[in-house]
Structure formats: C-alpha cells, structure tokens
Amino acid sequence: MGGTWAGVRERVLALRKAPRWWAVFGADYPDHGHNFELLPVLTEEQLEAVEKRFGAELPQEYRTFLLEVGAGGAGPEYGLFPIKPPGPDTPPASGHCALPFRPGLTAELEDHECAEPTRADHPDADDDAFAAMYATWDARHDELLDALTEGTLCIGHQGCGYYSLLVVTGPLSGTMWDDVRAVGEGVVPVELIRRTGHVSFAEWYLNWLDHAERRAWDETTEPPPRLQFTSGRTTSGG
C-alpha cells in the first residue's frame, strides 16, 4: 500500500493505546463510540459488488480507503458507517446514489419555505381551497428535502440528527458535505479551518486523524473531564 493512505490504518489503530484516546470526540460513547477500531478492508471483488448495488462508482479516495484502510469504523465524529458486500438477503438499493447531486437545491428549499402559504396571505380562500394549496406546498417541500441528498452516500453520523455525506455523482464527486436538515439548514459543504474551497474525503479524514493524534497523545496539558461510561475500555487503551 502506498500513496494517500500509506500507514493510515496503523496510525488509527495505534490510537487505541494512546493515554488520552477517550478525549477525542466520538471515540468513547456507549453504543456510538468507535474506540479507534477499524473494520477489515474490502477486496476489489467485494467493492465492485457494492458499487453495482449502488449503481455508481465510488469516488477514488473513498474507494481506495475501503481497499486499504477499512470498510468502516474510526473516523470523524462518531466514525464511519460500515460498508458491507451485498448478500442474498440484502435489499436492493434505492438508486439514490446514482442520481445527480444538485447543490443548488438547498437555496431552492429556502425559497420554498419562505413561500409557505399562510391564511393571512390568502384571506379570500375558503378552507378547502387553502387546504389544497397547503397540501401542494407541503408535498413539494417533502420532495425537496429528500432530493437534497440525491447523488450522495451517507458515510457517518455526527450526532443530533446531523450526518456526513460524500458526493458520488456529478462534478462535485468526492467532496464532503454536511446534512443539517435536522435544523432546517439543508445540505452544506464541509469547511475546515484555514482551508478554502470544497473538502475532499481524504482531506476530511486526514484532518481528523491529525487532530485525533494531537489530542490523544498529548500529556502536556490538563485533559478535559472524562464522562464515566461503562464501555469496558480503560484510559490505557487495553
């Protein structure tokens, strides 16, 4: 293994022994903490089966990550969702990934929400007419909300209903976006401190790893208080 992911799997797994592994957000949490574990990598054959099910070829950086680092586990926030080869009982994919990603839909959704029908705006409409008008608006609202994530793969959970999306189709393929529909902000590009422009999967993951290493191995500063979870892990990472 060489290139972008050279030594990355080893770096991640080494954090299990770091004195302050638990100080990295998302590592130590009941049912959600990734504990700096990584799933085994996929084979090329398994990955091709995954792509066939999705109906789209995965972006190159993410593809090589699955082949060289792991098919899920430790990563930003609460980690990366597992990617499993389809089996005989795996349901068919929705086809969501193969659809074009349209970043402008978030602005369209905002405009649509500003146009929500109100009784004050339609004082002359009878109840049935207003109900029909609102039902039409509401149906379009649901369509837009769902369409925001077309052309993306949800690869991680940030907590509080936020998710990390990887664009799979279109000109922005390979870039990372935040699904913040839970707070009514749509789908927005990931931003990193002191960086401009769209963030690729490798930039996103390696930025997290650099931060995690600094925090987990740092014994020169006062550590943050540790929440007392019954995860079975110790601060020595055993």
Side-chain angles (χ1 to χ4, degrees):
M1 181 178 71
T4 301
W5 304 116
V8 168
R9 182 177 175 88
E10 293 75 15
R11 288 170 61 189
V12 172
L13 296 180
L15 286 167
R16 294 178 296 179
K17 301 293 185 181
R20 293 182 183 168
W21 67 272
W22 48 268
V24 178
F25 179 82
D28 182 32
Y29 197 84
D31 302 322
H32 297 294
H34 55 70
N35 293 309
F36 293 107
E37 300 286 352
L38 287 168
L39 293 176
V41 300
L42 298 180
T43 66
E44 183 68 39
E45 182 180 17
Q46 290 173 328
L47 182 51
E48 289 174 359
V50 168
E51 292 176 321
K52 182 177 181 181
R53 177 173 177 267
F54 287 150
E57 183 174 338
L58 297 175
Q60 185 63 18
E61 288 180 348
Y62 184 59
R63 206 175 188 281
T64 52
F65 180 91
L66 298 174
L67 292 169
E68 300 175 11
V69 181
E77 311 300 340
Y78 290 109
L80 302 180
F81 290 144
I83 296 292
K84 299 179 180 179
D89 298 325
T90 303
S94 65
H96 209 71
C97 287
L99 297 172
F101 175 62
R102 294 174 286 169
L105 286 182
T106 289
E108 185 176 339
L109 177 63
E110 292 174 354
D111 291 342
H112 183 72
E113 289 175 337
C114 290
E116 180 178 1
T118 66
R119 261 304 186 185
D121 293 331
H122 303 277
D124 298 328
D126 61 32
D127 289 346
D128 289 342
F130 181 77
M133 183 187 311
Y134 196 90
T136 299
W137 176 90
D138 197 42
R140 178 56 179 162
H141 187 260
D142 288 345
E143 288 175 2
L144 286 169
L145 272 177
D146 186 59
L148 287 179
T149 58
E150 290 175 350
T152 71
L153 180 64
C154 184
I155 63 173
H157 185 216
Q158 302 176 20
C160 300
Y162 302 170
Y163 294 89
S164 297
L165 305 178
L166 172 67
V167 177
V168 173
T169 61
L172 292 171
S173 176
T175 60
M176 295 298 305
W177 293 64
D178 290 326
D179 178 355
V180 287
R181 290 176 294 174
V183 289
E185 295 182 9
V187 171
V188 298
V190 166
E191 296 181 355
L192 297 180
I193 297 173
R194 292 186 292 275
R195 297 193 190 185
T196 58
H198 290 295
V199 176
S200 74
F201 173 78
E203 290 173 328
W204 176 75
Y205 192 88
L206 294 174
N207 178 76
W208 164 80
L209 182 54
D210 288 343
H211 170 78
E213 287 176 325
R214 289 193 299 270
R215 185 147 192 153
W217 291 106
D218 179 21
E219 295 186 274
T220 65
T221 60
E222 187 68 22
R226 184 183 182 189
L227 298 177
Q228 296 303 305
F229 298 136
T230 56
S231 64
R233 288 288 306 277
T234 67
T235 55
S236 64

